[in-house]
Amino acid sequence: MTAEPVTGGGRNHRVDPAARTYYENGEKAKKKVRGTKWFFASGRDDGYWSRVILSFSHVAGGAYEDEAAFAVRQFTALKSALPHCMGIVYDGAFRGVYRDALARLGLLAVNKQHGSLTPVFYEKIKTCRSGHELWCNDGRIAESIRLDDGTRVFEPVPIIKLEHRAGSAKSRWYHRLRIPCRHQAHDYRVPVGITTTAEDRTLRCVDSGRPLKSDSERGFHRAEHLQQIPQDTLAHQLVYPYRADSESVRSQFDLSLWNRRMIAYGVERQKLFVLGFALSQNATSHQLHLSKAA
């Protein structure tokens, strides 16, 4: 209730119980907004009006990371309905814990590496007389090289192949690397995308074969530092631009509402409008698909 400046009486205001304070425009340029937020999972081909909305969910929390948690749950449910789905493209809100959950399902999580991460030492291998010091930098393995002036540079190690090994309960992902060397190039393989725990299969040292501690036991967040598809690769540059295109779903949804505002109070009532929007979008895409096939 607020006071009327003219009459001095009270005025009641209707409050949406589903409204929260959210953050928009990314983590660096956060902007607080008040209202309701909906998550959409969609897919499309290269044609016009070919998008299909696969699922949607109300984002009940207001923290910046809450939408990513909702997205993981939605993609996990969609994995059984879409067995041939290869992966998803998302923004920087996907940190290592979210990429880990999707990678274990056999999905690729394509997004940009978080800007706050700094290079982390990985290991030193002695495949030759000089050895090679490997670090995690920009989502991939890089070799630490000392220059004549004493400064250090991180040279990305070429990735020959991304290997996927599907298990009965979870998947595993590896980078096959080729480490340049003045003696002879070395082939090397490192796990990526998944932070191993004590419950996972024990890793073994490549040189000695002795068991190694899991990532969690040694405090290394592998899924945070080693991406399946690092952002400084051609594959990432070809796929990631589709992320910006997916924002048109939100824009179309806003334009479908009067004054770009939700016209109902409460999650259950609003869900009817969101469902109607999704059905209309999918019906339009389906009709255009049939007209092209005819």
Side-chain angles (χ1 to χ4, degrees):
M1 176 180 292
T2 59
E4 282 286 350
V6 178
T7 63
R11 182 179 178 182
N12 292 323
H13 295 268
R14 193 170 183 181
V15 178
D16 185 1
R20 298 288 187 277
T21 299
Y22 298 96
Y23 295 91
E24 293 184 345
N25 300 332
E27 191 172 21
K28 290 185 178 180
K30 284 183 179 179
K31 178 183 177 182
K32 282 187 177 182
V33 294
R34 179 74 179 177
T36 56
K37 190 171 187 178
W38 293 85
F39 163 81
F40 293 95
S42 63
R44 59 163 296 176
D45 61 19
D46 295 331
Y48 180 69
W49 275 103
S50 59
R51 188 187 316 281
V52 175
I53 297 177
L54 304 173
S55 69
F56 64 87
S57 174
H58 174 248
V59 181
Y64 180 73
E65 299 83 4
D66 286 342
E67 183 181 345
F70 276 90
V72 169
R73 288 196 287 269
Q74 290 293 310
F75 290 130
T76 301
L78 285 171
K79 183 62 172 68
S80 57
L82 302 172
H84 299 294
C85 178
M86 296 179 62
I88 58 96
V89 182
Y90 212 79
D91 59 19
F94 259 13
R95 299 297 297 265
V97 63
Y98 307 115
R99 296 200 294 251
D100 178 281
L102 297 176
R104 290 174 182 269
L105 295 175
L107 292 173
L108 289 168
V110 182
N111 75 324
K112 286 189 175 182
Q113 190 70 333
H114 202 265
S116 63
L117 293 179
T118 57
V120 174
F121 174 75
Y122 184 70
E123 66 178 336
K124 186 172 184 178
I125 59 175
K126 297 181 179 179
T127 52
C128 58
R129 287 176 295 175
S130 56
H132 299 273
E133 188 176 319
L134 304 181
W135 286 62
C136 301
N137 186 42
D138 291 335
R140 62 189 298 177
I141 292 294
E143 184 177 2
S144 175
I145 300 177
R146 292 285 185 178
L147 302 181
D148 295 338
D149 59 0
T151 59
R152 182 205 308 268
V153 295
F154 296 102
E155 187 67 26
V157 176
I159 302 173
I160 305 303
K161 184 180 180 181
L162 172 64
E163 292 184 350
H164 175 218
R165 297 188 179 183
S168 57
K170 60 181 178 295
S171 293
R172 291 184 180 277
W173 300 84
Y174 300 90
H175 279 174
R176 282 183 55 192
L177 308 175
R178 181 154 295 166
I179 304 175
C181 181
R182 66 177 184 270
H183 303 291
Q184 183 180 1
H186 311 294
D187 289 341
Y188 198 65
R189 188 181 68 179
V190 296
V192 297
I194 295 176
T195 303
T196 60
T197 64
E199 290 74 21
D200 294 320
R201 185 183 62 186
T202 303
L203 299 177
R204 292 185 177 275
C205 177
V206 177
D207 298 328
S208 63
R210 70 179 188 277
L212 299 175
K213 291 184 178 180
S214 66
D215 296 331
S216 298
E217 291 173 318
R218 67 190 185 103
F220 175 59
H221 201 332
R222 187 180 300 271
E224 182 81 349
H225 294 281
L226 294 177
Q227 295 176 285
Q228 297 160 298
I229 301 181
Q231 66 184 51
D232 291 333
T233 58
L234 178 60
H236 189 280
Q237 295 172 11
L238 293 174
V239 175
Y240 187 74
Y242 284 96
R243 184 264 159 188
D245 177 74
S246 65
E247 290 295 327
S248 62
V249 177
R250 301 178 185 271
S251 178
Q252 291 175 12
F253 177 56
D254 290 342
L255 292 173
S256 69
L257 302 173
W258 179 81
N259 202 26
R260 300 174 69 98
R261 302 278 185 178
M262 181 59 74
I263 55 179
Y265 290 93
V267 174
E268 296 304 321
R269 292 182 179 181
Q270 293 175 9
K271 191 178 295 184
L272 290 176
F273 288 96
V274 180
L275 178 60
F277 165 76
L279 291 176
S280 64
Q281 292 292 307
N282 290 354
T284 302
S285 300
H286 179 63
Q287 185 61 36
L288 289 177
H289 174 74
L290 294 178
S291 63
K292 292 180 181 179

